[in-house]
Amino acid sequence: MRKFFVFACLFLLIGCSSSKDQLVMVTEAGFAPYEYYENDEIVGVDIEIAKEIANYMGKKLVVKDVYFDSIINELNSGKADMALAGMSITEERLEEVDFSYEYIKSRQVVIVRDGSNINDIKDIYNKKVAVQLGSVADQYFSDKYPNTSLVRQKKYLSMVEDLKANKVDLIVMDELPAKEIVSANNGLKIIDGYVFEDSYGIAVKKGNSELLKAINVVLERLISEGKIDEYVLRFTR
């Protein structure tokens, strides 16, 4: 998988900084339906939102694909302008970056193998749990259930392979991508209920109030027009 995809040209340099004509979005493109590869192009809900923001600002959108745990550093080092990556708004992250209005409410659910004896959310805490490194699920277990055995992976596909190979007992992740994974992998299922709810926002470097204002103007319009719901439906069919 090539590392960076842009909407006009392919950047081969890791340091892809913004310019007055470009709006650089950083993401981790393994999180369908929000951002994922299709025919060598990154597509998804967050990409459609980012296109609207770039159009509003009169800039060319550039999409940069990195590991999820590198996203905040990309913003704070000036290598990207904004992050759309199904990022949960948390107190810890608010200490490092600024967030837009929330635009998606998400539930963290549990994927297990068919035939698993894990049938209830309360049964997951004494098991071996796969989470994405740096994700809100990682933070949740680390903060609230530090004795849970966590297996942290950078990519969801690695978590799925671990589950299939019996290296972990379950995966905790966002509901919509979890449904995509289960539909694409025989022998897996989502158990009833959810671990917790969270909200997604667009992150920018602290103090970048001009960009944040523009993002919020676009989000307000998209939400009021029902566009984000349309994007979710389009990319989950």
Side-chain angles (χ1 to χ4, degrees), residues 110-119 160 162-166 168-171 178 181-192:
V110 176
I111 303 176
V112 298
R113 295 179 295 274
D114 286 344
S116 171
N117 60 3
I118 301 170
N119 298 302
V160 172
D162 282 349
L163 182 60
K164 288 181 173 181
N166 295 309
V168 298
D169 299 305
L170 59 103
I171 297 170
I181 284 172
V182 168
S183 68
N185 291 271
N186 292 329
L188 302 182
K189 66 179 182 180
I190 299 172
I191 68 173
D192 292 337

Side-chain angles (χ1 to χ4, degrees), residues 18 24 26 71-83 93-100 202-213 215:
S18 61
V24 180
V26 65
I71 286 175
I72 288 177
N73 183 61
E74 291 285 321
L75 294 175
N76 289 336
S77 64
K79 295 177 181 177
D81 299 305
M82 61 181 184
R93 288 176 182 159
L94 283 168
E95 293 177 1
E96 299 184 89
V97 295
D98 289 335
F99 273 98
S100 69
I202 299 172
V204 302
K205 186 176 182 179
K206 270 199 168 297
N208 194 347
S209 57
E210 183 178 352
L211 175 57
L212 196 61
K213 181 179 178 180
I215 289 170

Side-chain angles (χ1 to χ4, degrees), residues 5 16 24 40 46 63 69 80 82 85 87 98-99 124 129 131 136 190 198-199 203 207 213-214 232:
F5 175 84
C16 175
V24 180
D40 293 327
D46 284 343
V63 182
D69 59 329
M82 61 181 184
M87 285 189 73
D98 289 335
F99 273 98
I124 71 176
V129 180
V131 295
V136 67
I190 299 172
D198 62 325
S199 300
K213 181 179 178 180
V232 171

Side-chain angles (χ1 to χ4, degrees), residues 33-97:
Y34 298 103
E35 42 269 320
Y36 61 99
Y37 279 91
E38 184 176 87
N39 299 322
D40 293 327
E41 179 182 354
I42 301 176
V43 300
V45 175
D46 284 343
I47 305 303
E48 296 303 309
I49 294 171
K51 287 179 182 178
E52 292 287 344
I53 296 168
N55 287 339
Y56 175 78
M57 298 182 70
K59 295 191 176 189
K60 178 175 68 177
L61 180 65
V62 176
V63 182
K64 185 177 181 183
D65 182 15
V66 303
Y67 286 123
F68 188 82
D69 59 329
S70 302
I71 286 175
I72 288 177
N73 183 61
E74 291 285 321
L75 294 175
N76 289 336
S77 64
K79 295 177 181 177
D81 299 305
M82 61 181 184
L84 290 87
M87 285 189 73
S88 304
I89 304 170
T90 67
E91 292 300 323
E92 293 82 3
R93 288 176 182 159
L94 283 168
E95 293 177 1
E96 299 184 89
V97 295

